[in-house]
Amino acid sequence: MRITVCLTDNNRPEPWVEGLRAELPQAVVEAWTPGAAPADHAVVWAPPQQFLDEQHQLRGLFNIGAGVDALLGLRLPPRTRIVRLDDAGMSVQMAEYVCHALIRHFREFDVYEAEAREGAWSYRRPRVRGNFPVGIMGLGVLGQRVGRAIAQFEFPVRGWSRSPRQIDGIRCFHGEPGLAEFLAASRVLVCLLPLTDATRGILRRETLSRLNGGLPGGYLINVARGAHLVEDDLIPLLDSGQLAGATLDVFASEPLAPGHPFWRHPKITVTPHASARTQREESVAQIAAKIRALEAGADFETLPGVVDAQRGY
Ligand code: NAP
Ligand code: GLV
């Protein structure tokens, strides 16, 4: 069995090659170079089209992230299946990040920080948790973990997915018909959707204005993909007061350009696509276990994280 590793965006292939060799000693594992021998499986992040054109025998294309939008835009060999990371240490990081952003906003810690720098000892009036229902778009591996973590802090939690879901502690909505009611019932909106044709641009003036029953004071946390947000719609909503603020980890173009207005807007917090980073050791172990199962005769459909190309996630 031959495994090739092709990573872009400053991801070094060598530690992945070493990790996979240790997990799968019977396999030939190499970093891809143009013209390399065809492999059975590949471990990738945003590979070039040339890679897929050359690697026409691939069975499994193992993505070292959860989101596969960068792969679905490429022409794949006919029998290749995409397998994404299934948690592999990401959901706990995502829960930390979203709870931090939510609580920082709810408890007004940014105001306390600014006042402390001025030497001011002044209390903020306590806010009522029940007035801050949190809506999570996407109730998959990450969305459910985030929902459970938020519920621990006793915020009302709502969730929205493509198909109907029943999850303890989360009031669930689904599909296009459920979207307006879900948005109206949420004040803080967390985006954890995959980027697909159906979800691109879903965070726009029309949808964001529905938060909090249409009243001012909504808050956006986008930790999914930058292209979920229509960037030009955000600043007018913040400047008019319709939205109280936004925490953004992902952007239409990354790295965020130095002059982008999001950097300096007082109601926007920017982080550099850092909310849930790939954990290499856990990911190598997960990918190797799936390759072992396939080589032992398992069907792709039995593997967690197999992507349905029609659905787009
Ligand atoms: P997942 O397990 O596949 O969950 C996706 C969820 O989105 C599912 O609940 C799905 O509905 C829902 N969904 C998909 N299309 C929808 C639509 N058209 N309308 C309503 N709901 C829809 O994915 P995951 O592992 O939780 O990851 C989610 C995304 O997070 C990734 O795709 C990636 O873009 C992003 N991410 C970002 C970072 C970061 O560092 N910022 C890190 C990791 C992942 P069903 O339940 O009905 O299938
Ligand atoms: C990161 O954004 C991922 O999709 O894993």
Side-chain angles (χ1 to χ4, degrees), residues 45 63-69 85 90 223-225 250 273 276-278:
W45 181 255
N63 191 43
I64 66 159
V68 294
D69 40 290
L85 286 184
M90 283 193 185
V223 278
R225 285 291 183 265
V250 287
H273 201 140
R277 304 293 306 271
T278 295

Side-chain angles (χ1 to χ4, degrees), residues 168-303:
D168 273 357
I170 303 184
R171 188 171 150 211
C172 293
F173 301 82
H174 69 276
E176 271 307 308
L179 181 59
E181 203 187 338
F182 161 78
L183 292 168
S186 305
R187 179 162 177 179
V188 177
L189 185 66
V190 179
C191 182
L192 269 168
L193 291 166
L195 181 64
T196 66
D197 290 345
T199 65
R200 186 179 302 278
I202 196 163
L203 306 173
R204 55 182 183 273
R205 189 170 55 83
E206 176 208 345
T207 47
L208 295 172
S209 305
R210 290 180 187 264
L211 290 176
N212 201 24
L215 296 171
Y219 192 92
L220 172 66
I221 301 174
N222 187 16
V223 278
R225 285 291 183 265
H228 285 126
L229 173 67
V230 177
E231 290 193 345
D232 287 348
D233 285 0
L234 183 62
I235 289 181
L237 289 168
L238 293 168
D239 289 348
S240 70
Q242 183 65 27
L243 290 185
T247 294
L248 306 176
D249 185 48
V250 287
F251 304 90
S253 173
E254 296 180 5
L256 190 62
H260 198 290
F262 287 175
W263 284 114
R264 304 216 180 285
H265 196 283
K267 293 183 178 172
I268 298 179
T269 299
V270 167
T271 53
H273 201 140
S275 52
R277 304 293 306 271
T278 295
Q279 301 295 298
R280 193 174 55 238
E281 283 183 18
E282 282 181 73
S283 304
V284 164
Q286 183 178 107
I287 292 168
K290 290 177 183 175
I291 291 176
R292 261 187 237 110
L294 288 170
E295 293 300 309
D299 193 83
F300 271 98
E301 302 311 325
T302 63
L303 301 184

Side-chain angles (χ1 to χ4, degrees), residues 13-313:
E14 293 80 7
W16 291 84
V17 168
E18 279 166 31
L20 288 161
R21 281 181 183 156
E23 287 274 352
L24 299 166
Q26 74 285 15
V28 176
V29 187
E30 280 167 345
W32 178 74
T33 49
D40 305 287
H41 301 287
V43 174
V44 299
W45 181 255
Q49 182 62 52
Q50 182 191 357
F51 168 80
L52 292 165
D53 291 343
E54 288 187 12
Q55 291 292 321
H56 43 79
Q57 293 185 13
L58 288 178
R59 293 177 62 213
L61 190 61
F62 291 86
N63 191 43
I64 66 159
V68 294
D69 40 290
L71 292 176
L72 290 171
L74 297 169
R75 265 188 327 279
L76 298 189
R79 63 184 201 130
T80 304
R81 297 297 304 271
I82 300 174
V83 186
R84 65 188 190 84
L85 286 184
D86 176 55
D87 195 334
M90 283 193 185
S91 72
V92 65
Q93 298 176 66
M94 204 49 108
E96 283 167 354
Y97 183 101
V98 173
C99 287
H100 173 87
L102 166 67
I103 292 167
R104 178 170 181 254
H105 171 59
F106 173 64
R107 295 290 304 272
E108 303 183 272
F109 285 133
D110 49 346
V111 180
Y112 281 115
E113 272 167 33
E115 292 189 347
R117 272 193 291 275
E118 301 299 319
W121 181 275
S122 67
Y123 293 108
R124 311 288 301 168
R125 184 196 292 264
R127 294 161 135 188
V128 177
R129 202 172 301 270
N131 292 341
F132 282 76
V134 182
I136 302 170
M137 303 180 103
L139 292 173
V141 174
L142 303 182
Q144 288 195 36
R145 175 72 180 254
V146 166
R148 286 202 305 275
I150 293 171
Q152 285 286 316
F153 290 105
E154 300 177 16
F155 289 94
V157 184
R158 288 79 171 87
W160 184 66
S161 52
R162 200 175 57 94
S163 51
R165 295 255 171 185
Q166 273 197 318
I167 303 168
D168 273 357
I170 303 184
R171 188 171 150 211
C172 293
F173 301 82
H174 69 276
E176 271 307 308
L179 181 59
E181 203 187 338
F182 161 78
L183 292 168
S186 305
R187 179 162 177 179
V188 177
L189 185 66
V190 179
C191 182
L192 269 168
L193 291 166
L195 181 64
T196 66
D197 290 345
T199 65
R200 186 179 302 278
I202 196 163
L203 306 173
R204 55 182 183 273
R205 189 170 55 83
E206 176 208 345
T207 47
L208 295 172
S209 305
R210 290 180 187 264
L211 290 176
N212 201 24
L215 296 171
Y219 192 92
L220 172 66
I221 301 174
N222 187 16
V223 278
R225 285 291 183 265
H228 285 126
L229 173 67
V230 177
E231 290 193 345
D232 287 348
D233 285 0
L234 183 62
I235 289 181
L237 289 168
L238 293 168
D239 289 348
S240 70
Q242 183 65 27
L243 290 185
T247 294
L248 306 176
D249 185 48
V250 287
F251 304 90
S253 173
E254 296 180 5
L256 190 62
H260 198 290
F262 287 175
W263 284 114
R264 304 216 180 285
H265 196 283
K267 293 183 178 172
I268 298 179
T269 299
V270 167
T271 53
H273 201 140
S275 52
R277 304 293 306 271
T278 295
Q279 301 295 298
R280 193 174 55 238
E281 283 183 18
E282 282 181 73
S283 304
V284 164
Q286 183 178 107
I287 292 168
K290 290 177 183 175
I291 291 176
R292 261 187 237 110
L294 288 170
E295 293 300 309
D299 193 83
F300 271 98
E301 302 311 325
T302 63
L303 301 184
V306 163
V307 171
D308 176 339
Q310 291 292 95
R311 230 173 42 165
Y313 68 100

